[in-house]
Amino acid sequence: MPVATIDGTKHEFSAGERLLDVMNRAGVAVPQVCYHPQMGPIQTCDTCMVEMDGKLVRACGTLAAEGLKVATESARAQKAQREAFDRILGNHLLYCTVCDNNNGNCTVHNTTKMLAVEHQQIPYKPKPYDKDFTNPFYRYDPDQCILCGRCVEACQNVQVNETLSIRWEDEHPRVLWDGGAPIGESSCVSCGHCVTVCPCNALMETTMLGEAGYFTDLPKPALDGMIDVVKGIEPELGYGAILQLSEVEEAMRESRTKKTKTVCTYCGVGCSFDVWTRDRHILKVEPEHGAANGISTCVKGKFGWEFVNSQDRLTKPLIREDGKFREATWDEALGLVARRFSEIKAAHGPDALAFVSSSKCTNEESYLMQKLARAVIGTNNMDNCSRYCQAPATIGLFRTVGYGGDSGSISDIEAAELVVIVGSNTAESHPVLATRVKQSHKLRGQKLIVSDLRKHEMAHRADVFLHPKPGTDLIWMSAVTRWIFDQGLAKTDFLSQWVNGVEEYRKSLEPFTMEFASQRTGLPVETLEKVARMIVDAKSMCVLWAMGVTQHSMGSDTSTAISNLLLATGNYMRPGTGAYPLRGHNNVQGASDHGAMPNNYTGYQKVEDLEIRAKFEKAWGVTLPPKAGLDNHQMIDAIHEGKLKALYVFGEEMSLVDSNANYVDAALAKVDFLVIQEIFFSETCKFADVILPACPSLEKEGTFTSTERRIQRLYPVFEPLGESRPDWQIIMNVANQLGAGWRYAHPSEIYQEIAAQTPMFAGVTYERLEGYKTLQWPVAADGTDQPLLYTQKFAFPDGKAKLFPLQWTEPTDQQDANFDLHLNNGRLLEHFHEGNLTYRTKGIKEKTPSTFVEVSPELAKARGIDNGRWVELTSRYGEVRVQAVVTDRVKGEELYMPMNSTAEPVNRLTSSHTDVVTHTPAYKETSVRMKVLEEEGANPLPRTNSRFGHPTPQMGVEVERKWKRADYHEPGNGLVQIRTPGKSGEPVS
Ligand code: SF4
Ligand code: SF4
Ligand code: SF4
Ligand code: FES
């Protein structure tokens, strides 16, 4: 290993390591105000100046090199560091004792202490700008802003929303939103990156303001007075006294501020972070150590938690009596559930009952739900909402490569030379994962191909944007694959070593000529050939897809086509390659992994396999049903047919999120006995006989599994509200009322049982998942996990993958004279799904108050529609009334409706057609007609919505522009006299 000498001591380093990282690793104390290891050198603060070969250099911006001799404590280096920091204090009022950021992690405070600064040479000068409170989630205080540019770097190059900049040429530079707009009217998506990385109190979460400290909630005049008192001490006593005082206050805070690690409850990216709380008040969400996200979050994970303390929370069991709900005791409610389940089982057999698990709840809870269904009731009628979205992707991978999960990690997507995104609005549905693609595309030359009906953000950024006709992705992918074979460009070595069924598959590609593809997809042959060339030329490719693929009648086959293309081009078994079905809910991967399926126990072990069943019978001490049960879709049919009499649903808003909502509601109204376990009185609750009040993720313990197969622990932030209980306890209560005799004292005991029966999770233990530790399945008994799948072989008995022959069929629910428009639907950044959780965060509701329908400018013109006009959409299955938003995100006769509405849910329009293989509803195959109503209204997207902003892309903070300022000079050149003592106490001048 190469060696550098720092302050006379030799230190080893790795090639490409930054000098500052070497120093930090070695424990050499050097100030570093603008440096954040997850963002790299920004070089704005100059506080990390060190002396190297007689020259002053910034340690953050210098690479370590063999034989380098560095002095951090030389008089010159120390003088430069202190001068640089003095300039920072010229921009920042040190009133730590009454500051909400006085929490031990303020870089300005800590650096003042580290450098033992007593008095500043450059006097503090306020900037001629007001504080900006126009964003509901955070505020900016220019007077406290030290112009370090961390926020700009985070917004430009980590989140890549490109809202923030600093105009270094201005007389009084400050951070600018969209070049100078109020925050609330800018393109800011409230992801919170900037607030997270701000090293001081210039950017603060509004939930912190006046809440974090003992003296920070004073009325403004009193607070200003306190600040004056604090500042008044400084000339006489110096900063040391102020810091000491503030550290006493900080220690007092420490005892009442709780910091708890959790995993985000929204999407499948799996962001994890600390939640800071004081009693039941959420002070802030602090991301830093998450394996999937680091410092990243989106608006939901950073700010979308008000629902937890909502007045609407269910806190007592409810029982329907005479058509009305009344509060009940737990004993009463559980007794009723057990009695009715037993009666129905006795009268109609166990298969007259069905169970739906929640992909928002923990792995342990899904495991217990399927154990309740199978071992206590005796039915395999068990499913979860992966049926609504992800099952086709899983099948596509089972058919071709063997495991039903992402074949690598988010870091592989980041590293790929080419990313292809099909049917996924990644920037809104999987925001933090999208940031990694945006970064690589912006900064590292990654190529991006997007195929989608809508020109969403990723489509805008793409090198090639394909807009095929709805439901034809399978065709263009198969045609591209055929072309690659025909041109002799397929990876034949890889295929002969690792893949079965090549010839049969090639034969199945015969119909997929470029001409056929062009005619059916509407994409020019040249474009398709360009795409094929890009794929062949890329050394590594990842394909990402989501509901735009899976929610079609050919969802499984299109997912298979994706994997076929990856195999034909050798894009498996290496870092930076593979298939990435982006899982929607936080634990939709885990719910299926842990047996909440009609045909599988945990780890996809088949219920119909005699040996496997015998293993579970032995473990659970019962006889188990031998045949696969009903899936969600079949359950609804079975209710209509009178075969299914009881349904137990937990954490799933079936009434709004299942397709053909009117048909689903009719079934829910009809079923003899419906148990709903929920945190709010959802739409589905309206049909319930018993409602059991449960806890959200912040009130319980367990594990979630994210899209990259990453298992992570969450810890309880709060006690359960009122009489609500964690779901695992409620399921155990129900089982025990039915005589099960379960005695789990903690979720870790449930996981021990799972691991013992499941080879895929053999080595998963709570100890191995302690804190921020994670495991990506499969996990061997010794704890070895697999971030990248298929490094040695594919998951088939002979270790080889399979190319799977496919045909294409027309989509269902086609347009005709009566239903002349195509309706697409999906997620919106700000809301999760139907919005039961996110509408309860005031700021989110303010910015995105309702759903709407996107209408193309050409259709709007033809039909006389303006923004805000009410329209009635009618499909073959139902109707809704919504307001229009006219936008070129959609084209021609294609409409788009976000799914965030409880009042006018898009699923009143969707059909009961399904993917043939998995019964996943074909949500994306819906035809409607649109009636323009008289009623006009304001644009359903208010002016404060980020979609109206005008980003200002640039390459990070662009510090070179600061260095060009006439009044800038590198510190340490004697132009400013520093009179503060050095680290060792001696004065430096
Ligand atoms: S988008 Fe907004 S919240 Fe996110 S980093 Fe940029 S300015 Fe900050
Ligand atoms: S607002 Fe931005 S530039 Fe100002 S101190 Fe915070 S991170 Fe640095
Ligand atoms: S919603 Fe998804 S991207 Fe946003 S913070 Fe949560 S896990 Fe991360
Ligand atoms: S830490 Fe190196 S310039 Fe700021």
Side-chain angles (χ1 to χ4, degrees), residues 25 27 73 112 122 235 371 526 671 712 937:
R25 200 162 35 73
E73 294 203 315
T112 310
I122 301 173
K371 186 175 175 185
E526 307 76 65
V671 71
Q712 311 190 83

Side-chain angles (χ1 to χ4, degrees), residues 416-456:
E417 255 191 30
L418 170 67
V419 167
V420 181
I421 300 180
V422 189
S424 158
N425 180 4
T426 322
E428 300 204 47
S429 302
H430 298 86
V432 166
L433 189 145
T435 65
R436 298 339 190 213
V437 179
K438 294 195 287 183
Q439 278 171 34
S440 290
H441 188 253
K442 177 175 179 179
L443 305 172
R444 294 185 282 278
Q446 184 177 72
K447 293 278 178 275
L448 177 63
I449 297 172
V450 170
S451 173
D452 209 286
L453 299 189
R454 289 173 77 232
K455 198 156 188 193
H456 49 57

Side-chain angles (χ1 to χ4, degrees), residues 341-564:
F341 278 1
S342 304
E343 285 168 2
I344 290 167
K345 182 176 166 182
H348 305 282
D351 287 338
L353 291 92
F355 297 78
V356 175
S357 189
S358 173
S359 53
K360 296 220 83 56
C361 295
T362 64
N363 290 325
E364 294 75 4
E365 289 163 345
S366 270
Y367 172 78
L368 286 193
M369 192 68 163
Q370 59 95 42
K371 186 175 175 185
L372 168 67
R374 296 184 159 118
V376 182
I377 301 292
T379 181
N380 283 318
N381 294 342
M382 174 75 238
D383 211 358
N384 75 89
C385 83
S386 71
R387 187 72 44 204
Y388 300 149
C389 58
Q390 287 299 330
T394 305
I395 289 292
L397 297 176
F398 275 153
R399 281 172 170 174
T400 51
V401 285
Y403 279 129
D406 286 7
S407 37
S409 307
I410 295 171
S411 54
D412 288 294
I413 300 173
E414 204 172 339
E417 255 191 30
L418 170 67
V419 167
V420 181
I421 300 180
V422 189
S424 158
N425 180 4
T426 322
E428 300 204 47
S429 302
H430 298 86
V432 166
L433 189 145
T435 65
R436 298 339 190 213
V437 179
K438 294 195 287 183
Q439 278 171 34
S440 290
H441 188 253
K442 177 175 179 179
L443 305 172
R444 294 185 282 278
Q446 184 177 72
K447 293 278 178 275
L448 177 63
I449 297 172
V450 170
S451 173
D452 209 286
L453 299 189
R454 289 173 77 232
K455 198 156 188 193
H456 49 57
E457 183 184 345
M458 300 312 279
H460 266 288
R461 291 182 178 274
D463 299 284
V464 177
F465 169 45
L466 306 173
H467 178 170
K469 288 182 189 156
T472 62
D473 281 316
L474 183 149
I475 299 179
W476 76 255
M477 273 182 283
S478 299
V480 162
T481 315
R482 180 188 153 150
W483 187 90
I484 290 171
F485 271 113
D486 291 352
Q487 303 293 314
L489 297 170
K491 282 278 178 299
T492 42
D493 288 358
F494 178 83
L495 289 168
S496 53
Q497 191 181 353
W498 290 112
V499 187
N500 290 320
V502 179
E503 281 321 306
E504 196 195 340
Y505 172 66
R506 279 204 68 176
K507 226 159 157 256
S508 78
L509 288 177
E510 265 167 29
F512 296 102
T513 61
M514 282 292 187
E515 293 65 35
F516 169 74
S518 176
Q519 185 224 329
R520 301 312 294 254
T521 61
L523 302 167
V525 170
E526 307 76 65
T527 309
L528 292 173
E529 285 185 5
K530 181 177 177 189
V531 165
R533 284 260 172 233
M534 283 174 75
I535 290 174
V536 168
D537 290 348
K539 288 196 189 70
S540 57
M541 168 173 79
C542 292
V543 183
L544 283 45
W545 74 102
M547 298 189 293
V549 167
T550 58
Q551 293 181 337
H552 279 278
S553 53
M554 301 216 63
S556 293
D557 287 348
T558 309
S559 301
T560 311
I562 290 171
S563 193
N564 284 339

Side-chain angles (χ1 to χ4, degrees), residues 788-813:
L788 182 66
L789 288 177
Y790 319 124
T791 48
Q792 308 296 322
K793 64 187 192 70
F794 287 96
F796 288 113
D798 65 356
K800 288 190 167 191
K802 293 178 195 164
L803 279 165
F804 191 96
L806 298 167
Q807 291 176 333
W808 181 77
T809 51
E810 294 281 353
T812 59
D813 206 63

Side-chain angles (χ1 to χ4, degrees), residues 656 658-661 823-826 851 873 875 880 882 896-911 923 926:
L656 297 177
D658 199 351
S659 191
N660 198 352
L823 177 71
N824 188 9
N825 61 79
T851 192
L873 301 178
S875 76
V880 298
V882 276
Y896 178 84
M897 212 179 133
M899 53 173 77
N900 52 298
S901 176
T902 48
E904 299 289 338
V906 68
N907 286 324
R908 287 217 195 107
L909 301 170
T910 51
S911 76
Y923 293 92
T926 304

